[in-house]
Amino acid sequence: MGDLGNSTVEFHPKKPGMDRGDNEGDFGMTVDELCSLMELRGHEALQKIQESYTDTETICHRLKTSPADGLSDNPADLEKRRQVFGMNFIPPKKPKTFLQLVWEALQDVTLIILEIAAIISLGLSFYQPPGGDTEACSNVSAGAEDEGEAEAGWIEGAAILLSVFCVVLVTAFNDWSKEKQFRGLQSRIEQEQRFAVVRNGTVIQIPVAEMVVGDVAQIKYGDLLPADGVLIQGNDLKIDESSLTGESDHVGKSIDKDPMLLSGTHVMEGSGKMVVTAVGVNSQTGIIFTLLGAGEMEEEKKDCKKGKQDGTLENNQNKAKKQDEAVAMEMQPLKSAEGGEVEEKEKKKTSVPKKEKSVLQGKLTKLAVQIGKAGLVMSAITVIILMLYFVIETFVIQGRVWLTECTPIYVQYFVKFFIIGVTVLVVAVPEGLPLAVTISLAYSVKKMMKDNNLVRHLDACETMGNATAICSDKTGTLTTNRMTVVQIYILDQHFRDIPTPDQINPRTLELVTSAIAVNCAYTSKIIVADKEGGLPKQVGNKTECSLLALVLDLKQDYQAVREQIPEEKLYKVYTFNSVRKSMSTVIQMPDGSFRLYSKGASEILLKKCSFILARDGEVRAFKPRDKDEMVKKVIEPMACEGLRTICIAYRELPADPMPDWDNETDIVSNLICITVVGIEDPVRPEVPDAIKKCQQAGITVRMVTGDNINTARAIAVKCGIISPGDDFLCIDGKEFNRRIRNEKGEIEQERIDKVWPKLRVLARSSPTDKHTLVKGIIDSTIVEQRQVVAVTGDGTNDGPALKKADVGFAMGIAGTDVAKEASDIILTDDNFSSIVKAVMWGRNVYDSISKFLQFQLTVNVVAVIVAFTGACITQDSPLKAVQMLWVNLIMDTFASLALATEPPTEALLLRKPYGRNNPLISLTMMKNILGHAVFQLIIIFTLLFVGERIFDIDSGRNAPLHSPPSEHYTIIFNTFVLMQLFNEINARKIHGERNVFDGIFSNPIFCSIVVGTFAIQIVIVQFGGKPFSCSPLNMEQWLWCLFVGLAELVWGQVIASVPTHHLKCLKEAGHGPAPDEIMDEDLAEDEDEIDHAERELRRGQILWFRGLNRIQTQIRVVKAFRSSLYDGIERPESRNSIHDFQAHPEFIITDSVHNIPLIDETDVDDESERSNHNHVRVALRHPVPNSQPQRPPRSRYPSRPLRQQSLPVTLNYNNNATESRVYLGSSDTGAPHVSPCPASPLHSLETCL
């Protein structure tokens, strides 16, 4: 393998379009050259570029593209590039054909048993024994030939085969349509994913699949790179290459150090431009997929092998094998200790972050196993009793001897008994459960698309119904993300409205214009409104757009400044990240000196200011006393009105001596403050209502934001997250860390437990704080129900929190690709009220499954008992095999369709979440199941034993083999089916509601299925004849059957009148796995992970269980999703959400160690503390070798303290540790009361309520 990996260039198969030598000749480089170039990294790559091409300009020249203007938009040229260098598309795995799905459905064990029985039955019916008419045998088969019906013996076998065929087709069709739906959705997502490229000198957004080699692409923070390329211009660029190399450290990229950018990697910081050098199957990600056979290439068509990095390829192979349906380029980051060389076991654990089995699946699995066991036992007993009865009756009581010529007839009896036993099993086993879950989830997912929720993982939909807490971002989710500057403090004056240009002196005006124009990303811009009187369009980062709009309001032109100083001329850029909470840009002045412009969170940037512009525009000293006064008189009043405050400053730097640009602390200090602006981001009008609904539904909403605590609190009041009179906590990140860490700086769960129940607002938080909070709430054991937490995020650094949460919501518009990749659901409109809809759909899924269970279990109980007792008393089941299969079809496939597609209602939001440990079958449902079962059994046994007298017809009991169908048994079958039909209407309500018809017409599927089933039943009874063992009924008999069916509805009302709490004997069923079982599972984690079902299977106790596992395969299809945007959404040109100046550097978080900067850089003033801080960063850089899987095992036992290896760090106990605990009354929100931690000595900020 090693030699192969290194002899890259000889190893090139021809590809379509690659053998056109003449075409390749037009470009100065071939695919092979580009491939071998992209395999190099760092110094090697630079050396190769210098030796072969001198510099990146030459590469652009050879690829016939311009670094500044990009490609021309000439379609012929683009098409030619696609032919020579390939398209930017990795062919997905071929979907399974319909026949393959049919074959899979046939693997169901119960069906196989039925087929075998049917075939034996068929074979025997055609076998005429030579001495068949001897006296002895004819008695055994007495009555068989009376009607001359013996030749119809084959019908039963054929009918069973036919019904098996129907079941298989239905199952296969369901699987097929589901896979088709998900593929359609995925291709739609892929089409929607766009990327910014330069063509003809203008930046345009094109679909990723249309990118070609030679395109100049603009890359920025949060992007997922869609192709390989070479950097031609970059600012402070850092890339997370863990998805390809397994190295968790971010790799700095620059033209003079390492210009190679690879597809599938994430931009974690900075911005720049690259020229695309490899796309699709030739890109690094494409090569790996091709090697794994995900591309439709045959094995020998492997492309440019990856060499030069020994462990990497194997690593990726291991990793990608694990990806369930590797359709999308969704590479899971490998969080390993030493890059490539990780032990096998470690790889297994880390490469696929283990999402727990969803709550519902866990409960269903357990319930299905229990039902299956019971069914197996019942069917075995039925068969044994029938056989014994027959043997004793024939050979003992009648004293016959076994004659060889009679053997086929005896065997036929045994086969008949066997078929009855299997039928009991078929009816008992709820193979409709997986179908119901799948249909319900698939239906919900489809509908949720309309409600702006794009579900990437099916089970997230159902988990959302159990959510007890939502941790939401502020900007864009609770607010409109349309920012405008409404107040400004400049030249010692506080303007409450935007001043006119003549109120500011010209030099200051010019400074403001330049500072904003140059020090905002060049991708942010304001575009004139399309419609007359419409609002101008904000493209790019919304905070920067508000500043650019301010320049326009001051009648200045920022575009002119940008044309004068294009992006290439910027000398140095310190891009925005969460540690800096600011952005700075250096430009070189005409005289050779430098000027630095800086903007950022006001309280942070003001600490770095030593001067300020006075009223006359002159620079004056800015002393600590002045700063305090400014905070009190300007910043706090703005923040209390819910405005976000941004400070803009600058500094002149000499050319000689040349400043040390790497020493950022010295460069960004002694600044001159120009202005502080207050930016308003209004609350979305529908949010307060949505939050109120959440609170009614028993869900606690917490705001986690990077904004100032006063701003956050003001917005929280407007949204209704906190209201006067509540006992709650609003703290900032620093105070939060002080409260949850012990003296050694380690996080302790007990400390978190004292904070989270009352916490409503966490301000100035870092991504790590968000992750810590989510993990703390999930791992908490102080409330009896484990909390189910949903989190929203849009920044690259929200990744860990989104992954950790039970359901992660990423923003479709403002979200970065990284956040979308880590999420379970994407909000295509970035709106909080869509989350409430997700909760509604989630609860609806849960209720749909419960409705289906209530219906199915009633049928199961009745059918099994009838078949069993009937068989034991009359040696023949009153319900024949074919009839049972029809009943099975009604209650499995049709009922799951009818009940799983009930639309949700607002009433779902009026109850508390079910919680993880609540049983699937509540006491009310158990009462309904048993109540209806008793009623149906009484009716059926009455009909069985005295039915012939009531209707004055011949008795069907003790009929001999192959006798014609009797009216007696037909009436039993018909009544049974009609009772199920009306009980299906009862099953629509599971909480004891009286009106079962409520909203029935809002579900056309339900109505059509009930009517359709009834119509088919008429056909079966009147014309089914021998195959269905039915004899046609007259009008009077039909009316009686209908009357008994309708009695079900009346009986339903009787049951509803019985108070559940009086029925002490009832037990719930379908609990989630018990804590001990969860512990067992986690202990078994070192073996290949086995879920309940697998383990049961291995014990060989339940054969049919694979059917349930099929749903997991079905659910996996969805993992092929590619995150992006969807129909009807205007895509802003740039999605770098510098989220309230709070987008964050990624912390690869393993649960044993965090590399968290413990001290906020802004507060470290003296040098010794700074060195201490740097020391902490370095010490925490190397993850411990035994890094654990992403999700820790959940258990009853307290989890280990998070921070075992960190160093003691002094945390600031200064008066910025603002804590506001507001008691404006005594109303209790239901959160458990926890004694407050000792508060920080000084409370510097008043509460703004």
Side-chain angles (χ1 to χ4, degrees):
M1 183 76 203
D3 311 322
L4 231 172
N6 289 325
S7 62
T8 29
V9 190
E10 299 86 64
F11 193 80
H12 285 300
K14 285 199 170 158
K15 289 192 118 87
M18 258 201 206
D19 45 355
R20 313 179 186 202
D22 55 324
N23 260 4
E24 289 204 358
D26 293 355
F27 297 101
M29 301 175 81
T30 62
V31 178
D32 297 5
E33 280 177 52
L34 289 170
C35 267
S36 52
L37 174 64
M38 290 320 294
E39 274 158 11
L40 307 173
R41 304 275 178 283
H43 184 64
E44 287 180 344
L46 269 179
Q47 215 173 336
K48 169 86 173 162
I49 289 174
Q50 281 157 7
E51 284 170 13
S52 311
Y53 314 106
T54 64
D55 59 11
T56 48
E57 291 260 332
T58 318
I59 295 180
C60 293
H61 179 66
R62 290 206 186 178
L63 290 173
K64 300 196 173 170
T65 182
S66 146
D69 296 343
L71 295 175
S72 68
D73 243 341
N74 175 2
D77 176 48
L78 298 177
E79 187 46 46
K80 187 168 172 189
R81 286 172 190 272
R82 284 192 194 103
Q83 284 178 355
V84 175
F85 298 110
M87 292 177 64
N88 194 19
F89 171 69
I90 294 177
K93 249 181 167 161
K94 275 190 178 154
K96 288 188 174 143
T97 60
F98 187 69
L99 286 176
Q100 280 171 309
L101 292 168
V102 167
W103 178 246
E104 269 180 25
L106 277 170
Q107 309 302 308
D108 193 40
V109 182
T110 33
L111 290 181
I112 292 174
I113 296 172
L114 267 180
E115 286 156 27
I116 294 169
I119 289 166
I120 295 174
S121 162
L122 264 180
L124 289 170
S125 65
F126 290 123
Y127 175 69
Q128 283 297 319
D133 357 74
T134 56
E135 186 82 17
C137 301
S138 55
N139 286 351
V140 181
S141 54
E145 269 82 82
D146 299 354
E147 317 281 331
E149 292 262 0
E151 64 277 9
W154 60 270
I155 291 182
E156 188 172 36
I160 292 178
L161 283 181
L162 187 70
S163 42
V164 164
F165 179 68
C166 286
V167 171
V168 166
L169 278 184
V170 169
T171 316
F173 180 74
N174 271 319
D175 290 358
W176 178 78
S177 56
K178 197 157 56 264
E179 184 154 337
K180 183 163 159 269
Q181 191 182 334
F182 288 139
R183 279 185 184 264
L185 197 50
Q186 186 223 327
S187 64
R188 184 160 138 212
I189 293 169
E190 278 177 354
Q191 287 157 14
E192 286 293 333
Q193 192 179 1
R194 293 171 169 270
F195 209 79
V197 297
V198 182
R199 290 207 178 151
N200 285 336
T202 53
V203 179
I204 57 167
Q205 297 272 344
I206 61 167
V208 165
E210 286 180 18
M211 287 180 84
V212 292
V213 170
D215 257 326
V216 174
Q218 282 200 338
I219 52 176
K220 57 180 187 306
Y221 155 88
D223 280 343
L224 173 74
L225 298 184
D228 292 353
V230 177
L231 189 66
I232 48 180
Q233 181 251 319
N235 305 320
D236 206 8
L237 204 56
K238 291 203 174 63
I239 306 274
D240 171 14
E241 293 189 344
S242 58
S243 56
L244 283 180
T245 61
E247 291 286 356
S248 57
D249 288 347
H250 299 163
V251 185
K253 299 282 180 183
S254 63
I255 298 174
D256 47 1
K257 291 206 183 83
D258 179 3
M260 311 313 264
L261 300 170
L262 307 172
S263 59
T265 60
H266 292 124
V267 183
M268 302 314 280
E269 222 175 285
S271 60
K273 280 184 184 173
M274 71 170 187
V275 59
V276 176
T277 53
V279 293
V281 282
N282 300 320
S283 67
Q284 295 299 306
T285 313
I287 291 167
I288 291 160
F289 271 80
T290 310
L291 287 169
L292 290 167
E296 288 165 56
M297 312 285 145
E298 301 82 69
E299 210 37 48
E300 69 270 11
K301 280 200 182 176
K302 288 176 190 165
D303 228 309
C304 335
K305 270 280 188 76
K306 266 190 89 171
K308 307 285 189 284
Q309 240 180 318
D310 299 334
T312 311
L313 191 64
E314 289 87 293
N315 224 352
N316 280 309
Q317 275 181 291
N318 252 4
K319 179 169 72 227
K321 260 180 214 143
K322 293 274 185 178
Q323 297 187 310
D324 288 308
E325 301 274 341
V327 185
M329 281 208 267
E330 178 179 317
M331 304 297 282
Q332 299 283 7
L334 236 190
K335 310 242 164 69
S336 63
E338 249 66 61
E341 300 83 39
V342 202
E343 315 126 50
E344 277 300 301
K345 195 191 297 176
E346 207 62 334
K347 260 186 236 163
K348 213 176 285 166
K349 283 188 165 187
T350 47
S351 51
V352 180
K354 183 196 171 211
K355 273 262 189 190
E356 297 183 335
K357 185 162 24 160
S358 82
V359 189
L360 186 63
Q361 269 177 290
K363 290 178 182 177
L364 283 178
T365 301
K366 202 170 166 211
L367 187 70
V369 168
Q370 290 163 345
I371 297 173
K373 281 180 182 169
L376 200 63
V377 170
M378 292 290 274
S379 62
I381 294 175
T382 311
V383 174
I384 292 166
I385 289 178
L386 283 171
M387 287 187 172
L388 284 175
Y389 201 107
F390 174 75
V391 169
I392 292 169
E393 174 74 27
T394 310
F395 299 115
V396 179
I397 297 174
Q398 294 181 13
R400 298 184 180 228
V401 281
W402 184 294
L403 299 169
T404 35
E405 60 267 27
C406 294
T407 305
I409 290 175
Y410 298 142
V411 173
Q412 254 175 319
Y413 267 103
F414 287 140
V415 170
K416 178 181 162 189
F417 300 150
F418 183 65
I419 289 179
I420 291 172
V422 174
T423 317
V424 171
L425 177 64
V426 171
V427 175
V429 170
E431 66 276 54
L433 262 187
L435 190 65
V437 179
T438 314
I439 289 176
S440 181
L441 286 175
Y443 172 75
S444 304
V445 166
K446 207 168 175 182
K447 294 286 187 192
M448 282 169 80
M449 281 287 292
K450 292 193 178 123
D451 284 341
N452 304 309
N453 286 287
L454 179 88
V455 182
R456 296 181 67 236
H457 299 131
L458 265 184
D459 50 356
C461 169
E462 152 254 315
T463 313
M464 220 25 235
N466 292 325
T468 54
I470 299 175
C471 295
S472 173
D473 268 350
K474 174 176 78 70
T475 310
T477 312
L478 299 173
T479 59
T480 55
N481 204 11
R482 170 142 198 121
M483 307 212 183
T484 34
V485 175
V486 289
Q487 294 186 23
I488 180 169
Y489 179 88
I490 190 166
L491 303 178
D492 286 344
Q493 286 171 279
H494 186 166
F495 294 97
R496 298 210 155 256
D497 295 303
I498 303 301
T500 53
D502 49 27
Q503 289 174 276
I504 303 172
N505 77 41
R507 183 175 175 278
T508 313
L509 202 53
E510 191 189 326
L511 259 176
V512 171
T513 307
S514 307
I516 292 174
V518 173
N519 192 30
C520 283
Y522 278 41
T523 48
S524 300
K525 45 183 178 275
I526 305 276
I527 295 174
V528 186
D530 312 333
K531 291 192 210 80
E532 189 75 25
L535 289 169
K537 216 158 100 190
Q538 298 186 337
V539 175
N541 179 276
K542 299 295 187 259
T543 308
E544 295 186 335
C545 288
S546 68
L547 295 173
L548 294 170
L550 169 68
V551 172
L552 298 176
D553 289 345
L554 293 170
K555 309 285 184 283
Q556 304 298 306
D557 182 11
Y558 69 85
Q559 203 52 50
V561 180
R562 288 184 170 182
E563 280 162 14
Q564 206 178 333
I565 310 169
E567 202 170 0
E568 296 77 49
K569 286 198 184 159
L570 302 181
Y571 192 83
K572 172 84 182 154
V573 181
Y574 300 98
T575 48
F576 180 84
N577 68 32
S578 63
V579 179
R580 291 188 182 122
K581 285 207 168 56
S582 66
M583 169 177 176
S584 310
T585 305
V586 181
I587 56 170
Q588 194 160 15
M589 304 303 281
D591 62 356
S593 65
F594 298 97
R595 181 180 288 171
L596 168 120
Y597 292 117
S598 202
K599 69 168 192 296
S602 54
E603 62 264 48
I604 287 166
L605 212 56
L606 282 178
K607 286 178 186 157
K608 300 180 181 177
C609 290
S610 310
F611 308 95
I612 188 168
L613 294 180
R615 187 163 284 226
D616 53 1
E618 294 307 311
V619 174
R620 68 172 168 84
F622 192 42
K623 303 191 180 67
R625 196 179 63 243
D626 300 338
K627 287 181 192 174
D628 290 345
E629 193 176 344
M630 185 157 176
V631 167
K632 276 202 185 69
K633 294 200 172 154
V634 179
I635 292 174
E636 282 188 13
M638 281 185 183
C640 286
E641 289 175 40
L643 303 185
R644 164 188 296 182
T645 54
I646 300 287
C647 172
I648 299 173
Y650 80 107
R651 176 190 182 180
E652 305 286 2
L653 293 156
D656 189 36
M658 180 63 94
D660 172 11
W661 299 116
D662 291 337
N663 187 349
E664 192 187 332
T665 322
D666 289 353
I667 299 281
V668 187
S669 62
N670 293 325
L671 304 174
I672 305 164
C673 172
I674 308 174
T675 177
V676 172
V677 297
I679 298 177
E680 182 185 42
D681 185 7
V683 171
R684 286 177 180 268
E686 63 275 21
V687 162
D689 194 34
I691 285 179
K692 198 167 163 202
K693 281 182 188 164
C694 281
Q695 287 160 345
Q696 283 172 345
I699 301 170
T700 310
V701 182
R702 294 180 175 83
M703 180 200 285
V704 182
T705 176
D707 236 331
N708 167 316
I709 184 145
N710 285 338
T711 310
R713 194 186 299 113
I715 298 280
V717 172
K718 287 181 186 170
C719 293
I721 291 178
I722 53 183
S723 48
D726 292 349
D727 165 19
F728 56 78
L729 203 55
C730 293
I731 54 178
D732 64 5
K734 200 178 308 154
E735 171 66 7
F736 175 68
N737 275 301
R738 187 183 72 69
R739 289 181 174 214
I740 62 169
R741 293 176 191 273
N742 59 18
E743 300 68 43
K744 294 181 186 160
E746 294 163 353
I747 295 172
E748 288 182 354
Q749 185 63 40
E750 300 79 73
R751 287 169 178 254
I752 297 182
D753 286 346
K754 287 179 183 162
V755 175
W756 75 259
K758 292 191 177 182
L759 181 69
R760 290 294 175 277
V761 175
L762 179 57
R764 281 278 174 253
S765 63
S766 70
T768 326
D769 295 338
K770 197 175 198 176
H771 179 271
T772 309
L773 175 65
V774 172
K775 184 176 188 308
I777 297 177
I778 288 176
D779 291 348
S780 174
T781 49
I782 56 169
V783 279
E784 75 265 24
Q785 287 284 13
R786 141 140 151 55
Q787 295 281 303
V788 177
V789 183
V791 169
T792 69
D794 59 1
T796 302
N797 309 87
D798 293 329
L802 289 171
K803 265 206 156 46
K804 178 73 207 165
D806 295 284
V807 182
F809 284 91
M811 300 296 140
I813 301 168
T816 57
D817 295 349
V818 183
K820 291 177 189 172
E821 206 86 332
S823 68
D824 301 295
I825 297 179
I826 297 169
L827 293 179
T828 55
D829 61 348
D830 289 13
N831 192 338
F832 184 84
S833 56
S834 302
I835 298 177
V836 182
K837 290 185 182 145
V839 172
M840 233 161 72
W841 277 108
R843 292 185 171 191
N844 193 47
V845 167
Y846 219 86
D847 280 8
S848 297
I849 303 300
S850 298
K851 288 172 189 174
F852 174 68
L853 268 174
Q854 175 174 307
F855 174 68
Q856 165 124 33
L857 292 181
T858 313
V859 187
N860 275 8
V861 170
V862 176
V864 169
I865 293 178
V866 166
F868 176 71
T869 46
C872 298
I873 297 168
T874 68
Q875 297 93 65
D876 185 8
S877 165
L879 297 172
K880 302 290 181 287
V882 180
Q883 296 174 350
M884 288 269 219
L885 284 170
W886 164 235
V887 169
N888 204 37
L889 197 67
I890 295 178
M891 68 183 200
D892 273 0
T893 310
F894 295 158
S896 60
L897 254 175
L899 292 169
T901 52
E902 288 271 309
T905 57
E906 289 280 327
L908 288 167
L909 293 175
L910 299 177
R911 61 168 176 77
K912 298 281 174 270
Y914 281 137
R916 295 182 80 88
N917 320 349
N918 267 38
L920 264 179
I921 300 173
S922 62
L923 290 175
T924 313
M925 287 169 64
M926 200 50 122
K927 176 184 77 176
N928 291 342
I929 291 170
L930 295 177
H932 287 292
V934 167
F935 174 75
Q936 293 183 12
L937 285 171
I938 291 171
I939 297 282
I940 285 180
F941 283 135
T942 309
L943 286 176
L944 180 61
F945 295 113
V946 291
E948 70 272 27
R949 276 178 252 156
I950 299 173
F951 288 105
D952 190 23
I953 46 178
D954 295 337
S955 164
R957 292 193 302 281
N958 302 327
L961 200 64
H962 301 321
S963 55
S966 66
E967 280 185 346
H968 182 195
Y969 274 17
T970 307
I971 289 177
I972 293 177
F973 165 60
N974 199 20
T975 310
F976 179 69
V977 170
L978 291 177
M979 284 196 295
Q980 304 320 328
L981 263 186
F982 288 103
N983 192 30
E984 196 166 339
I985 299 174
N986 278 329
R988 292 183 65 246
K989 301 292 173 203
I990 49 174
H991 299 298
E993 297 94 328
R994 289 252 175 217
N995 182 4
V996 289
F997 292 102
D998 179 35
I1000 192 163
F1001 294 113
S1002 65
N1003 186 0
I1005 300 181
F1006 184 89
C1007 301
S1008 48
I1009 281 181
V1010 171
V1011 173
T1013 311
F1014 184 59
I1016 299 173
Q1017 179 64 18
I1018 295 176
V1019 172
I1020 286 177
V1021 171
Q1022 297 305 102
F1023 310 104
K1026 186 75 183 170
F1028 278 95
S1029 315
C1030 286
S1031 153
L1033 302 180
N1034 60 33
M1035 199 63 198
E1036 187 194 350
Q1037 292 163 339
W1038 263 105
L1039 287 172
W1040 276 109
C1041 293
L1042 260 175
F1043 173 70
V1044 173
L1046 279 165
E1048 262 291 316
L1049 293 174
V1050 181
W1051 183 249
Q1053 296 300 314
V1054 174
I1055 295 177
S1057 312
V1058 178
T1060 311
H1061 53 255
H1062 288 335
L1063 303 169
K1064 299 273 187 297
C1065 51
L1066 287 184
K1067 261 187 73 182
E1068 302 160 319
H1071 289 265
D1076 340 14
E1077 292 176 44
I1078 297 177
M1079 281 304 297
D1080 295 346
E1081 281 193 18
D1082 289 330
L1083 294 176
E1085 216 173 77
D1086 284 343
E1087 313 152 26
D1088 281 7
E1089 279 157 16
I1090 321 170
D1091 59 9
H1092 276 326
E1094 275 303 311
R1095 211 167 305 139
E1096 294 288 352
L1097 238 181
R1098 298 213 175 151
R1099 293 185 194 141
Q1101 291 177 332
I1102 290 193
L1103 294 165
W1104 62 274
F1105 201 75
R1106 288 204 176 90
L1108 196 82
N1109 260 4
R1110 209 175 296 144
I1111 184 177
Q1112 280 145 354
T1113 333
Q1114 292 161 357
I1115 283 180
R1116 283 186 195 136
V1117 183
V1118 92
K1119 293 203 178 142
F1121 278 8
R1122 201 63 202 283
S1123 20
S1124 181
L1125 282 184
Y1126 321 95
D1127 278 2
I1129 288 171
E1130 224 171 40
R1131 182 128 195 177
E1133 276 203 30
S1134 131
R1135 287 196 320 274
N1136 58 339
S1137 143
I1138 303 192
H1139 177 28
D1140 70 298
F1141 287 86
Q1142 163 69 11
H1144 322 293
E1146 168 100 334
F1147 298 110
I1148 296 288
I1149 296 189
T1150 53
D1151 281 326
S1152 44
V1153 165
H1154 287 206
N1155 37 355
I1156 309 171
L1158 281 182
I1159 303 175
D1160 191 340
E1161 268 185 31
T1162 54
D1163 290 316
V1164 183
D1165 294 326
D1166 75 295
E1167 207 47 50
S1168 65
E1169 276 197 57
R1170 171 153 297 290
S1171 60
N1172 178 6
H1173 171 66
N1174 292 340
H1175 175 47
V1176 176
R1177 288 298 294 270
V1178 177
L1180 293 176
R1181 206 62 194 269
H1182 307 291
V1184 262
N1186 63 336
S1187 63
Q1188 297 185 336
Q1190 275 266 358
R1191 285 206 172 208
R1194 297 234 161 82
S1195 70
R1196 313 172 277 177
Y1197 310 117
S1199 53
R1200 281 169 42 208
L1202 264 180
R1203 209 164 213 296
Q1204 309 277 28
Q1205 289 80 352
S1206 57
L1207 305 169
V1209 174
T1210 53
L1211 286 157
N1212 302 348
Y1213 287 79
N1214 62 10
N1215 56 355
N1216 286 28
T1218 59
E1219 180 240 9
S1220 55
R1221 191 177 245 302
V1222 189
Y1223 294 93
L1224 300 176
S1226 59
S1227 95
D1228 173 20
T1229 54
H1233 280 281
V1234 181
S1235 58
C1237 303
S1240 58
L1242 292 164
H1243 295 214
S1244 72
L1245 298 179
E1246 318 81 4
T1247 61
C1248 291
L1249 290 174

